[in-house]
Amino acid sequence: MSNSTPPNTPVLTEQPEAKPGPSNLQQRVIYASIGAAMLLGSVWYSSWTFGLFFAAVQVKMLLEFYRMMRADGTKPAKWIGVAAGVIVFGLVYSITHGFQQSPDLFGYRQGATVYPALTGVSEETPMSLWLVSAGGAAYGWLVFGAMLFVVLVLKEIVGWPNNGRPFANIGATLAGLFYVSMPISFFNTVALGPTGYDYRRIFGLLFLVWASDIGAYAAGKTFGKHKLAPSISPGKTWEGWAGGFLLTLAMGWGLSLMMPDVPLTHRLIAAGVVAIFGPIGDLAESMLKRSVGVKDSGTMMPGHGGLLDRFDAFLLVLPVLALLQLLAG
């Protein structure tokens, strides 16, 4: 008999199975719910939380835009652009909100308009003063834009030749302000009614844009056959656009429950603007992403992309609404 002992056999212990994480759909729902709660809560609470929230949103959107520009080989001055964007948003917020709070400082009547320098003149204000105030406001913006250009040129001169194409870099920096900061700043003009800040106006705009997206998605999935812009966004169809248009108009009519003081004509005009220019804004951002070779503008919201992906429709809707407000006085 052998005295050798049998080798020890290792005891296999069962490892607990890793719990599966949330699915992509669950992630989308979770992050969408959190984002919607933050958005609606900040808009509802006060004009200050509204302003801070959208100032932060436009900063993140600008950074996403400049990141995409860098993917295309340009080198925008992102922090100069972000600083300028914050100034633009802050000035529009201060002018619109400050005018509503203290119109007498400018010689205007209370609640006249969100465009005091152009249409808020009182009967007692001389036409010469109105022209001076309107011209002064425009001149101030021109000086700000010109000085920003000077700063950007100086930056490129200091960095030459390490930054590559200097005027392409300047153009990309300024494009972010025109594409992101200025449109987002017009949220301030929408938020102000005749009696001051009114969260319902922002809620109404959000509901219109969401109705356009939901209607387009549902109709496109069900009836979509004819491509809307196949080279830009192959999934979009004319049938989807029509469904979004109809649901947006229906939402405009239904907003009477929340905004009974706003005439039906005004609500339907706003709905029409959203139904037309919202999808165009979405196509514009899709074109931008395809041109630089990226799938999403960012990764801030898993399953949803970046903030630029979420707010792209507003970038064309808001300037058109601001123009209509200006023309209506």
Side-chain angles (χ1 to χ4, degrees):
M1 295 183 62
S2 173
N3 292 328
S4 61
T5 58
N8 293 328
T9 304
V11 179
L12 298 178
T13 58
E14 294 185 0
Q15 297 294 329
E17 294 184 2
K19 295 182 179 179
S23 65
N24 185 54
L25 177 60
Q26 289 174 325
Q27 280 191 337
R28 289 175 63 90
V29 171
I30 291 171
Y31 281 94
S33 300
I34 294 173
M38 293 177 61
L39 169 60
L40 297 176
S42 64
V43 171
W44 168 80
Y45 189 74
S46 72
S47 64
W48 285 102
T49 53
F50 154 81
L52 290 174
F53 179 84
F54 279 105
V57 164
Q58 71 101 16
V59 166
K60 185 64 172 69
M61 292 172 67
L62 262 181
L63 291 174
E64 291 176 357
F65 176 82
Y66 290 146
R67 184 186 69 85
M68 288 193 287
M69 291 298 97
R70 285 184 171 273
D72 193 37
T74 56
K75 297 179 180 179
K78 66 176 181 178
W79 294 118
I80 294 177
V82 166
V86 171
I87 292 173
V88 169
F89 186 91
L91 284 174
V92 176
Y93 178 92
S94 299
I95 291 171
T96 53
H97 288 65
F99 169 72
Q100 285 289 340
Q101 297 298 322
S102 304
D104 292 339
L105 293 178
F106 304 93
Y108 304 129
R109 64 185 184 275
Q110 175 70 36
T113 178
V114 295
Y115 297 96
L118 296 179
T119 58
V121 62
S122 68
E123 294 179 359
E124 293 79 17
T125 304
M127 181 57 67
S128 59
L129 179 58
W130 178 80
L131 291 174
V132 169
S133 63
Y139 183 73
W141 284 109
L142 286 175
V143 170
F144 173 77
M147 289 307 302
L148 175 61
F149 181 77
V150 169
V151 170
L152 291 172
V153 169
L154 290 174
K155 178 185 180 299
E156 292 299 326
I157 290 175
V158 172
W160 175 262
N162 297 326
N163 288 339
R165 300 172 296 168
F167 282 89
N169 301 336
I170 293 172
T173 304
L174 296 176
L177 298 177
F178 280 100
Y179 180 52
V180 175
S181 294
M182 289 186 179
I184 292 297
S185 296
F186 288 133
F187 266 119
N188 291 294
T189 63
V190 173
L192 287 168
T195 58
Y197 177 74
D198 188 349
Y199 73 88
R200 299 175 305 159
R201 296 163 70 90
I202 299 297
F203 275 19
L205 178 58
L206 293 171
F207 294 159
L208 289 175
V209 172
W210 292 343
S212 176
D213 289 342
I214 293 171
Y217 178 81
K221 281 289 186 180
T222 306
F223 307 108
K225 292 182 179 179
H226 302 87
K227 301 296 183 181
L228 179 62
S231 61
I232 298 176
S233 184
K236 287 182 171 54
T237 63
W238 283 103
E239 291 83 2
W241 175 81
F245 191 97
L246 292 176
L247 188 58
T248 307
L249 290 182
M251 178 61 74
W253 176 83
L255 286 176
S256 60
L257 298 174
M258 185 177 69
M259 309 170 68
D261 53 319
V262 178
L264 175 62
T265 303
H266 293 185
R267 287 184 273 115
L268 291 181
I269 289 175
V273 169
V274 169
I276 294 173
F277 289 95
I280 297 176
D282 186 64
L283 286 175
E285 203 239 349
S286 296
M287 180 175 64
L288 169 63
K289 290 189 293 187
R290 284 187 176 275
S291 70
V292 298
V294 301
K295 182 178 182 296
D296 294 317
S297 67
T299 58
M300 183 175 181
M301 300 175 65
H304 294 273
L307 289 186
L308 195 56
D309 295 319
R310 296 300 91 206
F311 286 90
D312 53 4
F314 294 94
L315 300 182
L316 267 65
V317 167
L318 285 165
V320 177
L321 289 179
L323 175 62
L324 292 179
Q325 283 184 288
L326 178 62
L327 295 177

